[in-house]
């Protein structure tokens, strides 16, 4: 049947090709149509969804430095249709198994005039969107490639409503904006859109390898249009490579609802399968750490009376983790160099401060069956870190440390390089590949954005790449609606180390704070309720979830039971409801038990949601342990009030969830034996 479908589809496309020089391919469910055509030598694509135009004819191609453009003189020399429908299993993830079902069109292009260069464009059409990439084969007329511009366009049919962060070549740590498409000047990806007739679209990229990060720039020559804008090298060139070359996949997620958009696996599917043979050492975890106190200003990264990373303090955190079902302890500021912040070569990455006994701590953690999480802050000195990769990872490996958090705060020390250019894309890949050789998992901060590489290198556990929890410690913080936008924007790209779980919302227990950040005007706080902090452990997915607060704020706190019981590796995840910027509810089934966990949150408005529990097993009764906003809870005036209750439910039950302004709710569902 599969072979017959292929032949039939090829026939349809071939007829079209002969008459109009057009090619057409549809998604497996027939709702998405992709059309490819050459017009006056230019190569164009367009997209229809449910028989309506979504993306109008949009240019494809590349501009090369010191060479004719790969655009404007093409003819279609050949094409090939294939299809795939397989199932693969994740090492870890939101869902244990992933369906990879698509129809593929590979278009072979050749210039009509000398030097007759060749380029292919490969399209994969899924039920939840499209991916396409450029491929330049080995050929005698083209060897080294210097891309000065990528000509990819996204010409929307209408003025969709968008959620985005402005394009920034060095940082993704900005608040999301909500504007009509025609008012967006530039954007990082993922950028998400909603049409008036409830069509949801998000533009991103997959398998970002040996290439520059793609941002989007308003195309002022056309209505409702963006064009690709790659992050440059210091000399202005965007990508430097040789043939054979493949670009990252340009992805267009398409869905009929926000819930279906957030559930897409397209970005993951467009990456190569796992390259690590033995993955037994790769293990999701919950962790705590010596970190939040430094952001609050109650502790310091540097040596002194307020130094956080001491031997004594670290042992307290290890003991707490051991007693509370927490697997890991992160320690920042244990190594020398913080006093030389900003200088090149400030850190050697391996020398402890005099009040921190690294070997003793590593042995103590092992004796308690706790994973010590190493920390490498580079201060943007990526070159020096790269030179020392073997030394650093060998030290951690010999100490039995299996996870390392990396950081690149500040500008990149290599002159003229941006965080998100090809140079740093390649650096981050070298780090993860080298870490895999030493059986080390990576949690990257100030990273390159996620594009699904975790499928290929599942030791790439999680990363920041967003305005995380620390912004609440020393600025006006993240507003209540922020968390209802993330699952439909940044969350589409991959795991987010947001580090939720701050219980001391108003910092009442943070005594003797010292201002260290210029953004701190003295009004800092966390802009949620306590129950919402618990909900974020489910809503914001990460295989490494940090309970971020000081451990003193968890002791004797009944709400911490949800964190203790929380799973971190999932068999099934479902988005039950959602409206971008307003509310969202997500449930996940623990891979290692029959427990389900639910997280729901709202923006600054109180809300009441009806939750159908049909996701539960139909032949079981469950105890629902509910961690809800208190009756008078309010993120502004009464954020700490929480009520904890139990209720017997089953798959036929309908729960009414009441969310306070800026609030949330977290629920654990346990089968009754």
């Amino acid at each position: 049947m599969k072979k017959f479908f292929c032949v039939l589809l090829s026939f349809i496309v071939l007829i079209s090709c002969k008459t109009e020089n057009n090619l057409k391919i549809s998604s497996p469910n027939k709702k998405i149509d992709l059309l490819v055509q050459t017009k006056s030598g230019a190569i164009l694509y367009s997209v229809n969804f449910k028989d309506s135009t979504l993306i109008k004819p949009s240019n494809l191609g590349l501009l090369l430095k010191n060479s004719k453009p790969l655009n404007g003189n093409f003819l279609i020399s050949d094409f090939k249709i294939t299809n795939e429908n397989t199932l693969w299993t994740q090492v870890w993830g939101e869902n244990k198994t992933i369906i990879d079902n698509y129809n593929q069109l590979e278009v072979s292009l050749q210039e009509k005039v000398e030097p007759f260069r060749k380029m292919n464009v490969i399209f994969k059409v899924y039920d939840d969107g499209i991916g396409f990439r450029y491929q330049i084969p080995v050929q005698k007329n083209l060897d080294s490639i210097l891309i000065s511009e990528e000509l990819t366009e996204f010409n929307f049919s209408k003025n969709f409503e968008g959620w985005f962060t402005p394009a920034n070549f060095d940082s993704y740590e900005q608040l999301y904006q909500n504007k009509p498409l025609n008012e967006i000047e530039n954007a990082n990806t993922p950028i998400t859109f909603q049409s008036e007739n409830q069509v949801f679209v998000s533009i991103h990229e997959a398998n970002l390898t040996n290439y520059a990060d793609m941002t989007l720039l308003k195309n002022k020559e056309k209505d409702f249009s963006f064009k690709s804008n790659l992050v440059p090298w210091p000399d202005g060139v965007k990508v430097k490579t040789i043939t054979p070359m493949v670009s990252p996949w340009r992805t267009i997620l398409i869905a009929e609802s926000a819930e279906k958009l957030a559930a897409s696996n397209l970005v993951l599917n467009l990456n190569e399968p796992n390259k690590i043979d033995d993955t037994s050492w790769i293990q999701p975890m919950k962790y705590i750490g010596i970190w939040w106190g430094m952001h609050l200003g109650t502790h310091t990264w540097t040596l002194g009376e307020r130094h956080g990373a001491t031997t004594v303090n670290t042992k307290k955190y290890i003991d707490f983790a051991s007693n509370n079902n927490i697997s890991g302890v992160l320690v920042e500021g244990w190594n020398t160099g913080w006093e030389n912040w900003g200088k090149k070569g400030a850190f050697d990455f391996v020398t402890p401060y005099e009040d921190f006994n690294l070997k003793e701590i590593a042995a103590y953690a092992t004796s308690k069956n706790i994973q010590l999480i190493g920390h490498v802050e580079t201060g943007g000195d990526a070159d020096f870190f790269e030179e020392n990769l073997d030394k650093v990872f060998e030290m951690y490996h010999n100490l039995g440390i299996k996870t390392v958090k990396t950081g690149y705060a500040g500008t990149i020390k290599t002159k003229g390089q941006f965080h998100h250019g090809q140079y740093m894309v390649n650096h981050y890949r070298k780090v993860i590949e080298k870490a895999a050789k030493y059986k080390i998992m990576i949690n990257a901060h100030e990273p390159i954005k996620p594009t699904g590489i975790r499928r290929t290198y599942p030791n790439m556990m999680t990363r920041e790449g967003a305005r995380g929890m620390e912004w609440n410690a020393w600025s006006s913080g993240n507003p209540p609606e922020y968390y209802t936008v993330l699952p439909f924007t940044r969350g589409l790209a991959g795991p987010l180390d947001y580090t939720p779980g701050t219980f001391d919302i108003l910092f009442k227990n943070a005594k003797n704070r010292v201002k260290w950040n210029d953004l701190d005007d003295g009004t800092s706080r966390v802009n949620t309720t306590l129950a919402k902090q618990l909900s974020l452990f489910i809503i914001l997915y990460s295989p490494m979830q940090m309970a971020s607060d000081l451990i003193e704020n968890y002791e004797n706190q009944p709400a911490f039971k949800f964190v203790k019981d929380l799973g971190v590796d999932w068999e099934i995840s479902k988005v039950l409801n959602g409206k971008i910027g307003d509310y969202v509810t997500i449930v996940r089934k623990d891979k290692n038990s029959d427990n389900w966990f639910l997280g729901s949150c709202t923006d600054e408005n109180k809300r009441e949601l009806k939750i159908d529990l049909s996701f539960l097993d139909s032949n079981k009764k469950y105890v629902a342990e509910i961690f809800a906003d208190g009756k008078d809870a309010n993120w502004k005036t009464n954020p700490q009030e929480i009520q904890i209750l139990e209720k017997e439910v089953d798959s036929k039950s309908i729960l009414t969830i009441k969310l306070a302004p800026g609030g949330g709710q977290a629920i654990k569902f346990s089968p009754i034996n």
Side-chain angles (χ1 to χ4, degrees):
M1 186 65 187
K2 180 176 174 181
K3 184 180 290 185
F4 172 76
F5 174 76
C6 250
V7 171
L8 179 61
L9 187 56
S10 296
F11 177 74
I12 293 171
V13 174
L14 183 62
I15 295 297
S16 177
C17 179
K18 284 186 175 181
T19 57
E20 300 178 9
N21 205 22
N22 290 344
L23 304 175
K24 177 181 175 181
I25 189 171
S26 300
S27 59
N29 66 5
K30 309 298 184 189
K31 291 184 179 180
I32 300 174
D33 292 325
L34 170 77
L35 296 90
V36 182
Q37 65 182 129
T38 53
K39 186 175 182 180
S40 302
I43 179 78
L44 306 167
Y45 79 97
S46 55
V47 180
N48 290 345
F49 180 59
K50 298 171 68 173
D51 298 324
S52 295
T53 301
L54 186 66
I55 305 245
K56 298 184 295 185
S58 302
N59 274 315
L60 298 170
L62 302 168
L63 291 185
L64 305 183
K65 185 177 181 181
N66 302 325
S67 184
K68 292 181 179 178
L70 283 171
N71 172 267
N73 271 310
F74 280 128
L75 57 83
I76 297 175
S77 60
D78 198 5
F79 68 91
K80 182 168 65 175
I81 299 286
T82 55
N83 68 334
E84 191 73 50
N85 188 2
T86 57
L87 194 70
W88 58 278
T89 301
Q90 295 199 81
V91 175
W92 50 263
E94 304 95 317
N95 296 283
K96 183 177 179 180
T97 56
I98 305 290
I99 297 171
D100 191 11
N101 184 17
Y102 62 87
N103 295 324
Q104 177 173 296
L105 169 64
E106 183 174 344
V107 182
S108 299
L109 303 165
Q110 184 167 348
E111 290 179 312
K112 295 182 289 186
V113 296
E114 290 186 354
F116 304 113
R117 295 170 299 175
K118 299 177 180 180
M119 182 175 76
N120 305 323
V121 186
I122 303 169
F123 300 87
K124 289 186 178 183
V125 187
Y126 293 80
D127 289 343
D128 55 347
I130 291 168
F132 61 88
R133 77 191 316 182
Y134 300 97
Q135 182 185 67
I136 301 179
V138 174
Q139 51 198 294
K140 65 180 181 180
N141 296 320
L142 193 58
D143 182 12
S144 64
I145 298 172
L146 300 177
I147 298 175
S148 57
E149 292 292 344
E150 183 182 314
L151 301 175
T152 305
E153 290 181 336
F154 303 90
N155 297 332
F156 284 86
S157 58
K158 295 179 181 178
N159 193 21
F160 288 13
E161 181 181 9
W163 288 265
F164 69 101
T165 60
N168 187 307
F169 295 167
D170 271 321
S171 175
Y172 306 120
E173 298 185 32
Q174 302 171 77
L175 290 176
Y176 279 85
Q177 299 182 23
N178 177 207
K179 291 182 179 181
L181 193 156
N182 66 347
E183 295 181 15
I184 302 172
E185 296 295 326
N186 52 65
N188 289 322
T189 69
I191 179 173
T192 298
F193 301 98
Q194 177 181 345
S195 72
E196 292 180 355
N197 59 344
Q198 296 297 293
V199 177
F200 294 81
V201 182
S202 186
I203 298 174
H204 189 44
E205 56 185 320
N207 196 351
L208 175 54
T209 301
N210 192 27
Y211 208 85
D213 175 303
M214 179 183 73
T215 68
L216 299 179
L217 185 65
K218 184 175 185 178
N219 188 354
K220 297 182 179 180
E221 298 174 359
K222 300 177 181 179
D223 293 330
F224 319 135
S225 175
F226 291 108
K227 53 185 177 181
S228 168
N229 187 29
L230 303 178
V231 179
W233 287 79
D235 61 5
V237 173
K238 305 298 177 65
V239 176
K240 302 179 180 183
T241 186
I242 60 173
T243 58
M245 182 214 88
V246 291
S247 74
W249 295 92
R250 278 60 191 97
T251 62
I252 307 171
L253 303 188
I254 305 168
E256 297 168 287
S257 68
E259 295 92 332
K260 289 182 179 179
L261 185 77
S264 173
N265 291 308
L266 186 146
V267 170
L268 264 182
N269 275 326
L270 289 171
N271 280 266
E272 297 174 42
N274 172 31
K275 290 185 177 182
I276 300 175
D277 294 330
D278 174 21
T279 59
S280 60
W281 52 276
I282 301 175
Q283 299 172 343
M285 70 171 78
K286 290 176 288 190
Y287 72 102
I288 56 175
I290 297 172
W291 171 80
W292 185 236
M294 285 87 95
H295 285 283
L296 285 175
T298 58
H299 295 90
T300 62
W301 284 279
T302 54
L303 191 65
E305 291 182 359
R306 297 164 58 248
H307 189 212
T310 66
T311 300
V312 172
N313 199 24
T314 305
K315 285 186 176 181
K316 289 179 182 178
Y317 273 74
I318 292 171
D319 289 342
F320 182 87
S322 178
N323 294 330
N324 288 278
N325 195 32
I326 304 293
S327 300
V329 172
L330 165 72
V331 186
E332 291 197 14
W334 69 268
N335 59 304
T336 59
W338 292 88
E339 63 280 355
N340 295 317
W341 183 268
K343 297 179 182 177
K344 190 165 178 59
F347 300 96
D348 71 0
F349 315 117
V350 297
T351 303
Y353 279 120
E354 60 190 46
D355 60 355
F356 187 84
N357 190 320
L358 178 59
K359 290 183 179 180
E360 180 182 337
I361 286 294
Y364 188 74
T366 300
S367 73
K368 293 279 189 172
N369 197 28
I370 295 299
Q371 291 287 331
L372 188 63
I373 300 174
H375 184 239
V376 174
E377 176 54 63
T378 68
D381 199 350
D383 271 352
F384 193 58
F385 179 35
E386 204 169 299
E387 293 169 11
N388 287 275
L389 281 177
D390 281 296
K391 179 179 73 172
V392 174
F393 289 148
E394 183 177 23
M395 177 195 73
Y396 281 127
H397 177 78
N398 291 341
L399 289 168
I401 294 171
K402 299 178 182 178
T403 307
V404 173
K405 176 182 177 181
T406 59
Y408 299 84
T411 58
I412 298 302
K413 292 290 186 286
T414 305
K415 188 176 180 181
Q417 297 291 356
F418 293 108
H419 272 82
H420 306 151
Q422 184 185 10
Y423 174 84
M424 285 300 294
V425 169
N426 290 343
H427 166 81
Y428 289 114
R429 184 62 57 84
K430 289 175 186 175
V431 171
I432 197 64
E433 290 177 352
K434 182 70 73 173
K437 292 182 179 179
Y438 287 93
K439 295 188 175 181
I440 287 176
M441 298 173 277
I442 294 294
N443 170 5
H445 278 231
E446 297 82 37
I448 194 67
K449 66 189 178 187
T451 60
I453 296 301
R454 61 179 166 131
R455 179 184 179 185
T456 313
Y457 295 99
N459 64 319
M460 180 62 253
M461 303 297 289
T462 189
R463 66 186 85 197
E464 190 183 32
R467 243 175 91 120
M469 174 62 76
E470 69 260 29
W471 282 78
N472 296 296
W474 36 256
S475 77
S476 58
N478 298 326
E481 74 167 16
Y482 181 65
Y483 309 96
T484 66
V485 175
L486 283 174
F488 307 103
T489 49
R490 166 63 178 82
L492 300 175
L496 167 60
D497 190 38
Y498 182 82
T499 64
T502 294
F503 280 18
D504 185 19
I505 303 290
L506 301 176
F507 308 156
K508 289 183 177 180
N509 300 329
K511 308 300 182 184
N512 302 315
R513 293 182 66 199
V514 175
K515 177 181 175 180
W516 63 274
N517 192 303
D518 290 340
L519 294 177
D520 187 351
D521 63 1
T523 63
S524 301
R525 51 156 293 176
V526 178
N527 300 318
T528 72
T529 64
L530 176 55
K532 185 170 181 175
Q533 283 297 304
L534 295 179
S535 76
L536 298 180
F537 284 105
I538 304 301
I539 293 168
L540 304 179
Y541 171 68
S542 177
M544 291 179 63
Q545 280 288 22
M546 183 184 197
S548 56
D549 211 339
L550 306 175
I551 57 175
E552 295 88 333
N553 295 322
Y554 295 142
E555 293 169 341
N556 303 314
Q557 169 54 268
F560 192 69
K561 185 179 186 299
F562 183 81
V563 180
K564 291 170 65 174
D565 294 347
L566 180 69
V568 286
D569 196 13
W570 308 109
E571 184 175 336
I572 302 169
S573 294
K574 295 178 179 289
V575 185
L576 299 185
N577 58 46
K579 185 176 181 182
I580 305 175
D582 287 353
Y583 61 90
V584 63
T585 306
I586 297 175
V587 292
R588 307 189 194 274
K589 184 179 186 296
D590 184 18
K591 189 189 288 185
N592 301 308
S593 73
D594 290 327
N595 297 331
W596 286 82
F597 294 85
L598 178 148
S600 183
C601 77
T602 183
D603 57 4
E604 69 278 6
N605 299 304
K606 68 178 181 179
R607 213 170 291 274
E608 186 173 299
L609 302 172
K610 299 290 185 181
I611 306 298
D612 183 340
L613 302 188
S614 58
F615 56 85
L616 297 173
D617 291 346
S618 60
N619 60 347
K620 294 179 181 178
K621 296 282 187 179
Y622 292 80
V623 172
E625 296 178 73
I626 301 170
F627 299 78
D629 292 318
K631 180 182 176 182
D632 298 317
N634 184 298
W635 76 275
K636 271 189 177 182
T637 59
N638 189 22
Q640 300 286 161
E641 185 180 342
I642 190 168
Q643 57 178 334
I644 303 172
L645 59 148
E646 291 188 358
K647 185 175 183 178
E648 185 174 312
V649 298
D650 59 30
S651 62
K652 297 178 182 178
S653 301
I654 304 292
L655 273 185
T656 298
I657 289 182
K658 294 183 178 181
L659 306 174
Q665 190 166 134
I667 306 176
K668 175 191 175 186
F669 299 95
S670 306
I672 299 173
N673 296 323

